[in-house]
Amino acid sequence: MVGLVDTHTHLFVEEYDEDRELALIRARQAGVTRFFMPNIDDDSVERMLALCGAHDDCFPMIGLHPTSVDADWKARLERVEHWLRSDKVFYGIGEVGMDLYWDVAYRTEQMEVFDKQVGWALEFGLPLVIHCRSAYPELLDVLKHYRHEPLTGIFHSFGGTEEEASRLLEYEGFMLGINGIVTFKKSTLPEVLKKAVPLERVVLETDSPYLAPVPYRGKRNESAYIVKVAERLSDVYGKSFEEIAGITTSNALNVFKKSRETF
């Protein structure tokens, strides 16, 4: 059986303090063989590295999340960069991007921070894990300057329109990260995927502890539930669960191929 890859999980956050090791065991029993963990901000790095240091199947990434861009953003970004340039090994630049859903006050600063981190990805030859919520115009405005650069990565938690999918897929080195949203009753994502997104451009993720798939919606998410995402994609693409697992795992490993020998 081909193992599943959770390309986006925050198992190091406090929501798992009571049962983190059990959550990992449950995920492995469900067939998950690799866990990629995007950082959140300058305060979360040590917790993430401690977890990944204790488990060979957990791979840390480094970045400053757009919702962590605040009045102290320059110092926060500097602290994150210090970690990036340390002797620690990271497997991607993330979670980075744009988020104007809650607040637009730091729109310009978010764009500057995102641009800086795209530069890190190029400098270190690492994939980007990109978050975008209510900010596609701004995100694409930053990325357009890098159209001809060898960027790779994942547009995390995709739940957009056909047009948005097409715009993102123009960046040939990128996959779309699909999570529990695809299982939601009123989600239009299954139709968008059928019409606009080849399976060869899809990777699986949970974004745990958020966005738990049906039938766990409303509860804390965890990596074991990625099986429900794969099952829904099996319906969407008309392929067996094993085919979904094989193709999405291959896609994920191609994204992180720079350090693939350690997998």
Side-chain angles (χ1 to χ4, degrees):
M1 177 179 173
V2 177
L4 300 166
V5 175
D6 189 348
T7 62
H8 199 114
T9 176
H10 302 286
L11 280 168
F12 53 88
V13 299
E14 62 184 8
E15 283 87 344
Y16 300 100
D17 283 353
E18 298 298 319
D19 65 342
R20 184 172 288 107
E21 295 300 318
L22 289 174
L24 279 165
I25 290 170
R26 288 191 291 268
R28 292 172 184 136
Q29 290 175 338
V32 183
T33 58
R34 300 171 181 89
F35 307 83
F36 286 89
M37 300 193 181
N39 184 51
I40 300 168
D41 55 35
D42 50 319
D43 293 324
S44 60
V45 183
E46 291 183 354
R47 282 179 290 150
M48 177 186 65
L49 289 176
L51 177 58
C52 291
H55 298 280
D56 291 341
D57 52 3
C58 296
F59 304 96
M61 292 182 265
I62 189 73
L64 184 67
H65 193 283
T67 59
S68 295
V69 175
D70 55 20
D72 196 34
W73 68 271
K74 289 184 179 179
R76 304 193 82 179
L77 188 64
E78 187 176 302
R79 288 191 286 270
V80 169
E81 183 172 7
H82 176 78
W83 281 106
L84 172 63
R85 299 188 184 283
S86 71
D87 59 356
K88 303 298 182 182
V89 177
F90 296 101
Y91 294 82
I93 303 296
E95 178 177 357
V96 303
M98 293 290 304
D99 192 319
L100 302 177
Y101 181 79
W102 300 106
D103 190 356
V104 300
Y106 292 97
R107 173 184 176 274
T108 301
E109 291 83 355
Q110 281 192 29
M111 293 176 74
E112 184 174 343
V113 169
F114 178 43
D115 184 70
K116 175 74 171 177
Q117 293 179 108
V118 174
W120 292 349
L122 287 171
E123 178 184 350
F124 287 86
L126 292 171
L128 283 161
V129 172
I130 298 176
H131 169 109
C132 185
R133 192 174 187 190
S134 301
Y136 276 113
E138 289 81 3
L139 183 89
L140 293 170
D141 192 47
V142 173
L143 285 178
K144 70 183 181 184
H145 302 290
Y146 299 95
R147 284 296 300 271
H148 303 296
E149 298 289 349
L151 287 174
T152 62
I154 298 169
F155 290 107
H156 148 64
S157 195
F158 179 74
T161 64
E162 287 180 56
E163 180 183 357
E164 288 165 344
S166 297
R167 293 287 303 278
L168 297 181
L169 291 176
E170 290 176 3
Y171 291 87
E172 296 180 358
F174 281 79
M175 302 287 173
L176 301 188
I178 305 301
N179 55 38
I181 292 172
V182 76
T183 71
F184 296 172
K185 185 176 181 180
K186 294 183 179 180
S187 174
T188 59
L189 185 55
E191 212 49 45
V192 170
L193 292 175
K194 283 180 186 178
K195 293 180 179 179
V197 183
L199 182 57
E200 288 70 25
R201 300 294 298 277
V202 169
V203 294
L204 304 180
E205 62 171 51
T206 58
D207 198 20
S208 55
Y210 315 109
L211 297 174
V214 175
Y216 309 106
R217 189 174 183 185
K219 300 179 180 179
R220 185 197 70 176
N221 199 4
E222 57 182 76
S223 290
Y225 300 164
I226 204 168
V227 169
K228 296 301 179 183
V229 179
E231 288 174 350
R232 186 69 181 95
L233 288 181
S234 179
D235 295 335
V236 169
Y237 287 104
K239 294 186 178 292
S240 69
F241 181 92
E242 289 72 20
E243 288 176 297
I244 296 295
I247 293 170
T248 57
T249 291
S250 177
N251 294 344
L253 296 184
N254 283 335
V255 169
F256 297 104
K257 62 186 175 183
K258 177 179 173 63
S259 303
R260 191 170 181 172
E261 65 273 10
T262 64
F263 302 159

